[in-house]
Structures are given as C-alpha cells and as structure tokens.
Amino acid sequence: AATKRKRDAPAARPKKRARGAPSAPEAGAKAGPEEYRIPPPVSQGKWKNKERVLIFSSRGINFRTRHLMQDLRTLMPHSKADTKMDRKDQLFVINEVCEMKNCNKCIFFEAKKKQDLYMWLSNTPQGPSAKFLVQNVHTLAELKMTGNCLRGSRPLLSFDPMFDKEPHYALLKELFIQIFSTPQYHPKSQPFVDHVFTFTITDERIWFRNYQIIEEDASLVEIGPRFVLNLIKIFQGSFGGPTLYENPHYRSPNMHRRLLRLSVAAKFREKQQVKEVQKMKKKGSKVLIEEDPTEVVFETPAEQKPVEIQLVKPESKPIIKDKKKPRKIQRKKQKKLFRTEV
C-alpha cells in the first residue's frame, strides 16, 4: 500500500544499493561451476612505469633520416618530439632539453657531412649512453611491406642469444628494453600485442627489424622500418664521460671511403705498369740465339749444275709499232673539239 506523506515534507527516497557489495547468497543456493564465474580484474590499470623518450635530431639530416625518425615516433607512443638542435651546441645540452621535456630517455640522430648518420641512445641524466653508426636505412613508406599493426600497440622485444654472453651487449640489451618497450597502461597505448621488435647480432652489427604477428597461424610478416647499428662506443655518463667500451672492429666512414679510393687508384696504377712493361718489351733489342749445329743434320745438299758462259750476244727482238695507237689519239682530240664547240 502507498504510504501517506505529510504536507510540506520531503519525499522519502529509496536507499541506494552499494556498487561493489556483492549480494549475499541464499542459504539453500549452491555454488555454481567455476566456468560460469566472472574472474576479477587482473590489475587496476595504473600507469606506474612512466618512461618517456625524447626523439629528435640535429640540423643537416636528409629526408630518409627524417622519415625514419617519424616512423619511430609512430611506433613508440611514449615518445616526445622536439625541434632540431644546432650543430654548434655541445651534446651535454641535450640533458637539459630532456629535463625540460620531462623525459628520462633519449634517441638523438646526429648528421655529419650530409651523408653520415649517427644515433645516440642515452639514459638521462645519469647515463649510460651509446653511440652507433646507422647504416642501410629503410623507412616504412620505402619498403612497402604487406604487414600492418595497430597504431600505439605494445611490442614484444626479441633479442639474439649473443646479448647474454658479452657484458657490453648485456648493457645494450637493458638500454634497448627501457627505450623501445612501451610501458603498460600508457595513456596513448593500446592494450594489444601484435608486433615484434627483433635485435639480431650479425657481422659485429645490430640488425633491427619490425614484424607483425598474424593471429591465424602466428606467422611473422615484416612491417618496417629496418636499419643496422654499428656500435662505436659506450660511455658511462649521458652524452659523454669515461668510455666503458670501444668497438675494435669499427671503421669510420671517412676511412672506408679512403680505402675505396686507394683500391681504385691501385687498379689504375697496375694497368699503367702493365702498359709500360709492354712498351719496354717492344722497344727492347731482339736477343740473338746461337746456331744449333744439329739443325743441319736433315738438310740434303742440292745438285750442282755446270756453269755456262755465253760468248755471243743474243739477237735483238724486232720492235712492232701499235697501229691502233694514232687512231686512239685522234679520237680523243675530236672529242675535245666537240665539247668546246658545245
């Protein structure tokens, strides 16, 4: 029955049910099977690992480096961008830029001579940092791969077993993990894992590849970008400090170009020397070979004919004049006269 309320009195509101309070089970009810139960949430979804990576470059980079930098920003939702840095500035200024941008990791592309590209990976501001020479750069637009992944998804990191055998590779592995792995529950990331970053060591270099994971058969399809990192040095500090490791197999691009020029010059010099030797052989005097006495063994002497001496003068042959010759001369004269008259 409807309850009567007094005049000018507030209406009685129904009591709100508690959101998180589970309903009390009835006394006679039995617990259902486990497969019908809804599992509790695994985590509250708090963003704890707040890694921020600053990706920028110096002035003088070419279009391929600019596209590679943009591809890395697309693949890493926890990255930030900044304006290009002047080449006259010192590298330790980057630590202040990272502090202003509230970043604790940095990827810096340094261009030299408009053809050589160097990459710095650093943990700012304490360190360590590593310097690489970037080779064989291929961007996303350039490769035109068939693979495709969700933008902002979290990647898996796959490392070569060689990273666990050498101490300097172990340090680089930890640096790669902290820089390239997207933090869990990042605001700009998606809660999916659909691509893999692979770091492989071959020919004393680190090869970077990006593959998509296909759900049907769990096969891998390359997406891009791809590049090769040739390690130069590992420093204790950020963008400087004591050298922890120096690659003995590294050869600078200037030295590589110089050796190529020397090899071309050596080939040209060798051709010139061969030509000079051939000229000397042609100009040189012929060597006289001594006569071999055995060559006369198979020669048979010719028969000697008697010598005849002519004592009488031979008769002279009669001279026969050509009767047709004067006629030919006359015809030629007539032809000349006819031409002049015409």
Side-chain angles (χ1 to χ4, degrees):
T3 56
K4 293 181 180 180
R5 64 184 183 89
K6 295 179 182 180
R7 188 177 292 176
D8 300 334
R13 295 180 180 178
K15 292 181 180 180
K16 290 183 179 180
R17 187 177 178 181
R19 290 183 181 178
S23 59
E26 297 179 2
K30 293 182 180 180
E34 294 182 0
E35 56 192 13
Y36 295 108
R37 289 181 182 175
I38 299 173
V42 179
S43 176
Q44 298 296 327
K46 292 181 181 179
W47 179 29
K48 295 179 181 179
N49 182 22
K50 298 191 176 182
E51 295 282 353
R52 299 180 183 89
V53 183
L54 181 65
I55 303 177
F56 72 118
S57 68
S58 66
R59 297 194 180 278
I61 61 172
N62 54 8
F63 71 97
R64 186 173 281 108
T65 308
R66 186 173 65 253
H67 289 190
L68 173 65
M69 189 169 56
Q70 191 60 39
D71 293 343
L72 289 178
R73 288 173 184 168
T74 307
L75 292 171
M76 299 164 65
H78 61 293
S79 64
K80 289 187 177 182
D82 195 23
T83 56
K84 294 180 182 178
M85 196 181 75
D86 197 354
R87 285 182 291 182
K88 295 180 181 178
D89 296 339
Q90 299 295 328
L91 290 177
F92 61 83
V93 180
I94 301 174
N95 295 326
E96 299 177 5
V97 177
C98 292
E99 187 178 355
M100 287 188 291
K101 287 282 184 178
N102 196 18
C103 296
N104 51 3
K105 299 290 185 295
C106 181
I107 299 177
F108 177 67
F109 292 96
E110 186 181 6
K112 290 185 178 179
K113 293 187 176 181
K114 296 184 179 180
Q115 54 184 343
D116 302 330
L117 178 64
Y118 298 92
M119 179 193 284
W120 286 84
L121 300 179
S122 176
N123 179 23
T124 57
Q126 292 87 12
S129 59
K131 186 180 181 182
F132 301 91
L133 175 67
V134 186
Q135 299 172 328
N136 301 338
V137 177
H138 298 279
T139 59
L140 275 169
E142 186 181 354
L143 286 175
K144 296 181 181 177
M145 296 291 185
T146 56
N148 189 12
C149 66
L150 183 67
R151 180 166 181 167
S153 59
R154 301 179 65 230
L156 293 174
L157 299 184
S158 173
F159 290 94
D160 194 272
M162 191 70 182
F163 277 96
D164 299 326
K165 296 178 181 178
E166 298 291 338
H168 60 280
Y169 284 139
L171 178 61
L172 290 177
K173 179 181 177 180
E174 185 62 31
L175 197 61
F176 288 146
I177 289 172
Q178 294 182 15
I179 290 176
F180 287 96
S181 62
T182 304
Q184 195 174 12
Y185 303 114
H186 191 277
K188 293 183 180 179
S189 67
Q190 299 290 339
F192 303 104
V193 178
D194 60 351
H195 63 288
V196 186
F197 289 162
T198 61
F199 298 90
T200 312
I201 298 174
T202 308
D203 194 21
E204 304 296 336
R205 291 169 175 81
I206 300 172
W207 301 65
F208 176 86
R209 295 290 184 271
N210 181 21
Y211 297 97
Q212 181 200 358
I213 304 171
I214 299 176
E215 295 180 0
E216 288 79 8
D217 52 354
S219 60
L220 299 178
V221 178
E222 188 174 356
I223 305 172
R226 56 160 69 168
F227 52 88
V228 180
L229 299 176
N230 191 0
L231 178 63
I232 302 173
K233 283 183 181 181
I234 300 176
F235 300 96
Q236 186 176 353
S238 178
F239 296 98
T243 304
L244 298 178
Y245 176 78
E246 186 174 358
N247 188 8
H249 305 284
Y250 171 71
R251 190 166 60 191
S252 65
N254 293 333
M255 181 62 68
H256 181 67
R257 286 190 287 267
R258 180 174 177 271
L259 291 175
L260 288 177
R261 288 195 299 269
L262 288 176
S263 64
V264 174
K267 287 181 181 178
F268 179 74
R269 202 179 300 115
E270 187 178 354
K271 287 182 181 178
Q272 292 296 111
Q273 288 176 356
V274 170
K275 287 181 181 179
E276 289 177 2
V277 169
Q278 289 176 352
K279 286 181 181 179
M280 292 291 290
K281 284 182 179 179
K282 288 179 181 178
K283 290 180 181 179
S285 58
K286 296 180 180 179
V287 181
L288 297 175
I289 302 172
E290 297 180 358
E291 293 182 0
D292 190 4
T294 58
E295 288 182 358
V296 199
V297 174
F298 299 101
E299 289 183 1
T300 53
E303 295 180 359
Q304 294 182 357
K305 294 180 180 180
V307 180
E308 293 181 359
I309 300 170
Q310 253 183 356
L311 300 175
V312 183
K313 183 180 178 181
E315 296 179 357
S316 59
K317 294 179 181 180
I319 299 168
I320 302 169
K321 291 183 179 180
D322 191 6
K323 296 180 180 179
K324 296 180 181 180
K325 195 171 183 180
R327 292 180 183 176
K328 290 178 182 178
I329 295 167
Q330 237 172 359
R331 285 175 189 170
K332 285 182 182 180
K333 287 180 180 179
Q334 286 176 0
K335 283 180 182 179
K336 283 181 182 180
L337 288 170
F338 179 73
R339 285 173 187 171
T340 52
E341 287 176 0
V342 172

